[in-house]
Amino acid sequence: MKLVKAVLAASLGAVIAASSMSVQAKQLTIGFSQIGAESEWRTANTNDVKAAAKAHGINLKFSDAQQKQENQIKAIRTFIAQKVDLIGFVPIVATGWDNILREAKRAKIPVLVMDRDLTVSDPSLYVAKIGTDSYTEGRKVFDWLDKYVHDKNIKPRNGGDKINIVILEGTVGASATTGRGNGFSDALKESPNKDLYNVLASQTGDFTRQKGQEVMESFLKSNRNDIDVLFAMNDDMALGAIQAIEAAGLVPAKDITIVSVDGVKGIFQAMIEGKANATVECNPLQGDLFFTTAEKILKGESVPKSVFVEEGVYPAETAKEVFPSRKY
């Protein structure tokens, strides 16, 4: 009898252990909507998400929205119909998400936002945001510029008393555009040197190299001899603007100081060649943090509403040394 009980106990233990292993081994399925492939940065972000999903053993359902919010909404609705475990997305613009996120909430599918912020009527419509602090990035741009102008004793090219700045903005309505713009503007207003600076023109380049070049050409046609500084809200627009500056017979990084945001390899190469002055990092390598946070959420653990990756500031003087270690 004791032998029978022992055998039964061992069998039951094996069944429980097998059941537990089965639960633990359940592969998570996560739907992810990316905004598109508008820049080197975005390509690096996408590649990192896919690599991190593989490393975490995630069944990733990936969708490219091709710069259209309606495509993202369709993708999220498809993920809901597929009953994925969690939905992640990079919101192309900040608003217009309430209805689709309510659908996800009714389906009891948690939503995790990456990279950009969004504005919703009910904060519980998404669990958390993984990414970067665009407002702080904008402040870092001005802080670097203000110090550079004084350290290098930069003077207005037109002989006036103002350092004239032109700004290549990102996509209209994108949180990265709003955050970087507000951060830069606030830092300028709070600076004891604020009277030295004048924003001459500011227009969207839609975060693309081609549009950045086109808008910079327009700036130069109107104010060729008055522009002292270019602030591009991403590196790709800065790289496009460099082409326009050279085509206009000016010397980038000398006649016009150039500072941008992202930290992609292309801008490091431009700095090494003496064509750009600085970049403020916006780290696209967010995949591991995203899936680690997703796993915590699905285990029922609490996570902060905002989880930021680390970011630095890289002036041209450091570009050659730093370039070999860049991963994007």
Side-chain angles (χ1 to χ4, degrees):
M1 188 66 178
K2 287 182 179 178
L3 179 61
V4 172
K5 286 183 177 179
V7 171
L8 288 173
S11 298
L12 181 60
V15 169
I16 291 172
S19 175
S20 176
M21 287 175 65
S22 175
V23 171
Q24 290 175 4
K26 177 184 179 295
Q27 186 181 36
L28 297 176
T29 297
I30 293 179
F32 189 90
S33 174
Q34 180 61 279
I35 63 174
E38 81 283 5
S39 63
E40 283 186 56
W41 191 98
R42 187 61 56 194
T43 300
N45 180 239
T46 292
N47 291 342
D48 190 61
V49 167
K50 290 179 177 178
K54 187 175 182 180
H56 282 255
I58 302 291
N59 176 27
L60 182 68
K61 293 184 178 295
F62 185 89
S63 176
D64 183 334
Q66 299 180 334
Q67 306 294 322
K68 295 180 180 179
Q69 185 180 30
E70 58 265 34
N71 289 345
Q72 287 196 295
I73 291 171
K74 287 177 185 175
I76 293 171
R77 189 162 284 131
T78 298
F79 296 150
I80 294 169
Q82 293 171 335
K83 298 181 179 179
V84 299
D85 295 298
L86 180 141
I87 293 170
F89 76 111
V90 179
I92 187 167
V93 293
T95 59
W97 303 105
D98 282 49
N99 291 338
I100 190 63
L101 295 188
R102 284 196 188 98
E103 291 180 31
K105 189 174 183 180
R106 283 195 294 271
K108 297 183 179 178
I109 300 174
V111 174
L112 185 56
V113 178
M114 178 183 271
D115 179 37
R116 295 184 179 179
D117 298 316
L118 75 173
T119 303
V120 289
S121 59
D122 177 5
S124 73
L125 291 176
Y126 70 99
V127 181
K129 177 230 170 176
I130 301 296
T132 59
D133 187 345
S134 56
Y135 178 82
T136 298
E137 290 162 1
R139 293 192 69 96
K140 285 178 179 178
V141 168
F142 179 79
D143 290 344
W144 175 86
L145 175 63
D146 194 32
K147 185 176 185 302
Y148 181 82
V149 165
H150 285 81
D151 288 351
K152 301 294 184 181
N153 194 28
I154 303 295
K155 300 296 183 185
R157 288 197 302 124
N158 64 6
D161 58 359
K162 297 279 189 180
I163 297 290
N164 286 316
I165 303 167
V166 293
I167 301 175
L168 284 172
E169 301 170 15
T171 302
V172 176
S175 65
T177 302
T178 304
R180 290 169 192 170
N182 288 343
F184 183 87
S185 178
D186 287 351
L188 191 160
K189 290 174 186 174
E190 294 165 16
S191 170
N193 305 310
K194 61 184 178 183
D195 292 337
L196 176 62
Y197 302 99
N198 173 53
V199 176
L200 192 63
S202 185
Q203 186 175 325
T204 180
D206 209 24
F207 283 135
T208 68
R209 191 174 304 197
Q210 182 178 348
K211 193 69 182 293
Q213 180 178 354
E214 291 172 3
V215 176
M216 192 66 200
E217 287 170 354
S218 175
F219 287 162
L220 288 164
K221 284 178 183 176
S222 303
N223 302 285
R224 184 184 184 282
N225 297 317
D226 296 324
I227 301 171
D228 301 300
V229 174
L230 165 65
F231 164 33
M233 289 191 185
N234 82 341
D235 292 338
D236 275 70
M237 292 190 295
L239 292 168
I242 288 169
Q243 291 180 273
I245 291 167
E246 290 180 319
L250 297 172
V251 182
K254 292 183 175 61
D255 292 327
I256 298 176
T257 299
I258 299 171
V259 55
S260 53
V261 180
D262 275 354
V264 301
K265 284 185 176 180
I267 203 69
F268 275 85
Q269 188 62 50
M271 288 192 288
I272 291 169
E273 294 171 2
K275 296 181 179 182
N277 302 89
T279 185
V280 171
E281 185 176 38
C282 178
N283 189 348
L285 306 182
Q286 302 170 19
D288 182 66
L289 184 59
F290 178 87
F291 290 112
T292 298
T293 305
E295 288 164 347
K296 287 180 179 178
I297 291 168
L298 292 170
K299 288 176 183 175
E301 298 177 24
S302 61
V303 298
K305 196 69 175 178
S306 295
V307 186
F308 296 128
V309 291
E310 294 184 6
E311 302 176 307
V313 178
Y314 298 97
E317 293 79 8
T318 67
K320 192 171 183 178
E321 178 185 353
V322 172
F323 182 78
S325 66
R326 301 304 289 173
K327 295 181 180 179
Y328 53 92

